């Protein structure tokens, strides 16, 4: 991304009226832009911020390039860092193979060590692949062991043309049992980590916004700005058919008002008819559009993870309700 595009992006976004401004820096690998790029990010945010604005920055990285300079910057600039770590060495290295043969797990562990050294808040972003099936407890314990208190588990759902499941893709049943095992070790942990999915389920039960797009009934959630300024509604749907415009030539309101954006958002609630009869639809809302895979591109296809979500919710919702009721009662007592 050029400095001109970056400057325009920050300026136009901060001109909008928001309760909070959130920048999420992703790639590829966003650290390849270099440290000076992100120093410019901060300088532009300071230049264009409204008085009293709350601005947050998050960055998602594989951690390979993090050194003391990066970690110090993240600490000083209060970046929330998401580090990709898929579990113990044998699991992490299974599909994360560095081109030069370097042990990617060692690079990640060094990055986490530096983040701890500089008191940087970080989340563990764990891709749950076919290799992770049956290993939820092992992965959870490992993440806790490296000092991670915030976990995000992301199902690996990748299909080739013709709806052929790729070898690293986890299937619905595996995903469901993984989540059940994860819940079991989490619920019995006296010092529980924050698991984004579990937190969101509790928020739904409390009648609040879940905070993750897959659980929403609309996919009008955020904008993706590509390096050349092109704008899209979702990082899984960066396609010619979903191009909303360009940050260099369009105003922010143009993206909100775009028919393409609105139509894309509506598709989230056009789920399979069976979803209307499902007791768990309030939690998954038909799941992410990316997971509604069909050989004939049916708009109302079920998520390939549907069976797994049902296994998980059937087993755990009663316990989640107890947690929600406890939190509700505690809040009422404090009023």
């Amino acid at each position: 991304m050029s400095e001109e595009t970056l400057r325009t992006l920050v300026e136009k976004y901060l001109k909008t009226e928001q309760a909070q401004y959130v920048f999420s820096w992703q790639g590829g690998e966003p650290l390849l832009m270099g440290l000076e790029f992100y120093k410019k990010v901060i300088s532009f945010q300071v230049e264009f911020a409204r008085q009293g604005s709350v601005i947050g920055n998050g960055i998602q990285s594989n951690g390979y390039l993090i050194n003391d300079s990066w970690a110090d910057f993240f600490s000083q600039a209060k970046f929330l860092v998401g580090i990709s770590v898929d579990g113990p060495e044998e699991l992490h290295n299974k599909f994360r193979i560095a081109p030069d043969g370097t042990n990617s797990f060692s690079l990640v562990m060094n990055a986490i060590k530096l983040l701890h050294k500089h008191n940087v808040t970080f989340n563990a972003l764990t891709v749950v692949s076919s290799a992770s099936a049956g290993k939820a407890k092992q992965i959870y314990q490992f993440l806790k062991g490296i000092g991670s208190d915030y976990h995000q588990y992301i199902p690996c759902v990748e299909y080739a043309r013709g709806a052929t499941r790729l070898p690293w893709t986890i299937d619905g049943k595996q995903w469901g049992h993984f989540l059940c095992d994860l819940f079991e070790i989490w619920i019995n942990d006296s010092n529980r980590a924050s698991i984004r999915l579990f937190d969101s389920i509790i928020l739904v039960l409390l009648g609040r916004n879940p905070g993750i797009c897959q659980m929403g009934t609309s996919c009008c959630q955020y904008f993706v700005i590509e390096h050349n300024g092109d704008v899209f509604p979702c990082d899984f749907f960066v396609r010619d058919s979903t191009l909303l415009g360009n940050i260099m030539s369009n105003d922010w309101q143009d993206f909100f008002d775009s028919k393409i954006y609105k139509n894309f958002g509506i598709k989230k609630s056009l789920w399979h008819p069976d979803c209307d009869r499902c007791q768990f639809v309030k939690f998954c809302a038909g799941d992410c559009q990316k997971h509604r895979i069909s050989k004939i591109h049916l708009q109302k296809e079920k998520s390939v993870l549907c069976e797994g979500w049902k296994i998980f919710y059937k087993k755990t919702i009663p316990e989640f309700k107890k947690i929600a009721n406890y939190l509700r009662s505690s809040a009422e007592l404090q009023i």
Side-chain angles (χ1 to χ4, degrees):
M1 180 177 285
S2 69
E3 183 174 331
E4 180 185 13
T5 303
L6 174 64
R7 181 186 180 91
T8 303
L9 186 164
V10 174
E11 181 180 13
K12 287 189 174 180
Y13 179 38
L14 294 183
K15 279 184 177 179
T16 64
E17 293 197 12
Q18 311 280 340
Q20 181 179 5
Y21 300 87
V22 180
F23 294 81
S24 298
W25 304 99
Q26 301 187 37
E29 174 48 52
L31 269 59
L32 288 170
M33 285 301 299
L35 186 52
E36 289 306 312
F37 177 85
Y38 294 99
K39 289 181 178 179
K40 289 175 183 175
V41 166
I42 297 299
S43 68
F44 289 149
Q45 289 175 348
V46 171
E47 179 180 353
F48 297 116
R50 293 166 177 256
Q51 187 173 1
S53 295
V54 178
I55 300 173
N57 288 283
I59 194 164
Q60 183 172 332
S61 173
N62 59 26
Y64 300 174
L65 299 179
I66 292 178
N67 55 24
D68 276 300
S69 296
W70 275 108
D72 181 63
F73 170 77
F74 292 145
S75 179
Q76 297 299 321
K78 295 181 172 56
F79 267 55
L80 172 62
V81 179
I83 289 288
S84 297
V85 53
D86 297 341
E89 186 169 3
E90 66 276 12
L91 279 177
H92 183 86
N93 286 346
K94 176 69 174 178
F95 296 120
R96 294 187 185 272
I97 303 170
D100 64 357
T102 304
N103 186 321
S104 62
F105 178 80
S106 297
L107 295 173
V108 175
M109 291 302 102
N110 182 65
I112 290 173
K113 180 180 178 180
L114 290 170
L115 295 177
H116 281 303
K117 174 183 174 183
H118 291 270
N119 297 312
V120 178
T121 302
F122 72 94
N123 291 351
L125 304 178
T126 301
V127 175
V128 182
S129 68
S130 56
S132 311
K135 298 184 173 79
K137 295 180 179 180
Q138 179 184 354
I139 294 170
Y140 179 84
Q141 290 173 328
F142 170 79
L143 296 179
K144 288 287 297 292
I146 61 173
S148 175
D149 295 322
Y150 302 93
H151 302 180
Q152 184 175 348
Y153 296 89
I154 306 162
C156 182
V157 179
E158 299 292 340
Y159 281 67
R161 290 184 177 181
T164 301
R165 186 162 65 97
L166 296 174
W168 42 85
T169 292
I170 194 165
D171 66 31
K173 188 174 290 187
Q174 289 173 329
W175 174 240
H177 290 303
F178 179 94
L179 291 178
C180 288
D181 291 344
L182 181 64
F183 179 83
E184 183 178 342
I185 192 170
W186 176 81
I187 197 70
N188 291 309
D189 184 0
S190 60
N191 185 28
R192 296 173 190 164
S194 171
I195 296 178
R196 192 179 185 194
L197 172 64
F198 294 179
D199 293 344
S200 296
I201 292 169
I202 294 167
L203 286 172
V204 170
L205 290 168
L206 291 172
R208 297 171 61 185
N209 188 321
I212 54 176
C213 55
Q214 73 191 57
M215 296 176 73
T217 56
S218 170
C219 280
C220 291
Q221 302 270 350
Y222 58 87
F223 293 123
V224 174
I225 321 297
E226 287 288 281
H227 68 94
N228 64 350
D230 283 346
V231 181
F232 299 87
C234 175
D235 48 319
F236 292 128
F237 291 88
V238 176
R239 303 171 181 174
D240 290 342
S241 61
T242 55
L243 176 64
L244 307 181
N246 188 284
I247 195 69
M248 303 301 291
S249 54
N250 295 99
D251 291 326
W252 207 263
Q253 193 61 40
D254 294 336
F255 308 132
F256 276 115
D257 294 338
S258 167
K259 289 184 178 180
I260 294 174
Y261 184 56
K262 292 178 179 179
N263 288 338
F264 180 79
I266 288 171
K267 287 181 180 179
K268 183 66 163 67
S269 61
L270 300 180
W271 47 58
H272 192 279
D274 287 354
C275 297
D276 290 319
R277 298 183 287 274
C278 179
Q279 60 181 313
F280 306 123
V281 70
K282 67 180 292 185
F283 300 104
C284 82
D287 203 8
C288 178
Q289 289 192 52
K290 174 181 177 285
H291 299 160
R292 301 176 188 178
I293 296 166
S294 170
K295 292 183 178 180
I296 55 175
H297 304 291
L298 287 175
Q299 188 169 274
K300 296 187 177 183
E301 188 57 82
K302 288 183 184 179
S303 165
V304 294
L305 300 178
C306 177
E307 181 182 10
W309 286 120
K310 288 181 177 179
I311 291 171
F312 167 63
Y313 285 129
K314 184 177 182 180
K315 181 174 181 179
T316 62
I317 287 299
E319 291 300 318
F320 278 121
K321 286 182 176 179
K322 291 179 183 178
I323 296 172
N325 289 336
Y326 171 78
L327 293 173
R328 189 180 292 110
S329 299
S330 298
E332 291 173 352
L333 289 173
Q334 294 175 12
I335 295 176

